[in-house]
Amino acid sequence: MPRLTAFLRAINVGGRRVTNDDLRRVATDAGFADPATFLASGNLVVDAGDRSPDQATRALETALEEGLGFASEVFIRTAEEIEAIVGADVFEPSAVEAAVAAPQVILLREPLDGPGAEAVTALSTAADRLAVLDREILWLPRDGVGRAALDWRSLDPLIGVTTVRSRNTLARIHAKYLSG
């Protein structure tokens, strides 16, 4: 069975408190096998059976709304996609070393087209570097996520609904649940 990782938006923020036990229960009730959670921030790894990533996304979004009482957007990635994200060395090593925070991954619903990708990378600054992959934007916040000067007002209309995780979190999920 293919293992998929679901990154859930707005879990355990803004009064939406959900335990990892609840997330695993919702996934099991939706027919996903062997659910595992990572940290308490909406990271869920499941065996998808014969479901495609799109089918898994729809099934989990429905199950989360029914099982938890609120909607949460789901961003599914395969093991291969996570491996590619983690392995993408788009920033100079010296810039990564100098940054207060680890590179961040802004997960998107759809790939950015050429003009969209160009508009996003045009928002890159020395303090907040951006690089577009496929359905991800790698972000290097030199001064840390909380102090970032990234122009989200300009970025949001270009990318739509997103969720963000550190690249380290993706690497740890891949190492623990998806490799070998």
Side-chain angles (χ1 to χ4, degrees):
M1 278 190 230
R3 296 281 280 170
L4 299 176
T5 303
F7 300 97
L8 314 179
R9 183 172 193 264
I11 295 292
N12 291 334
V13 295
R16 289 181 167 183
R17 296 289 168 215
V18 180
T19 67
N20 284 337
D21 288 340
D22 287 338
L23 287 179
R24 287 188 296 271
R25 176 190 48 78
V26 166
T28 300
D29 290 350
F32 291 94
D34 196 25
T37 52
F38 188 78
L39 303 176
S41 54
N43 304 306
L44 182 65
V45 181
V46 297
D47 286 337
D50 60 357
R51 292 179 174 139
S52 70
D54 287 340
Q55 291 168 328
T57 298
R58 288 189 300 276
L60 277 172
E61 286 181 343
T62 299
L64 288 164
E65 187 162 8
E66 291 173 358
L68 301 177
F70 58 83
S72 177
E73 290 86 359
V74 174
F75 299 80
I76 296 275
R77 296 299 187 269
T78 65
E80 295 80 13
E81 288 170 323
I82 292 176
E83 185 173 21
I85 295 165
V86 170
D89 290 324
V90 297
F91 303 118
E92 304 85 18
S94 60
V96 174
E97 283 183 28
V100 172
Q104 303 294 302
V105 180
I106 303 170
L107 298 150
L108 310 174
R109 291 283 216 174
E110 301 293 330
L112 286 172
D113 61 10
E118 289 173 15
V120 166
T121 56
L123 296 173
S124 191
T125 67
D128 291 290
R129 296 180 183 204
L130 300 170
V132 176
L133 296 181
D134 180 36
R135 293 183 299 151
E136 299 80 28
I137 299 168
L138 294 185
W139 167 33
L140 183 61
R142 181 187 66 201
D143 299 324
V145 174
R147 291 190 212 117
L150 183 62
D151 185 359
W152 284 98
R153 286 187 192 180
S154 297
L155 186 61
D156 280 344
L158 299 171
I159 61 177
V161 175
T162 66
T163 194
V164 181
R165 301 292 188 278
S166 76
R167 189 166 67 178
N168 292 342
T169 296
L170 273 70
R172 291 171 60 201
I173 288 170
H174 189 272
K176 185 170 183 174
Y177 299 107
L178 305 172
S179 63

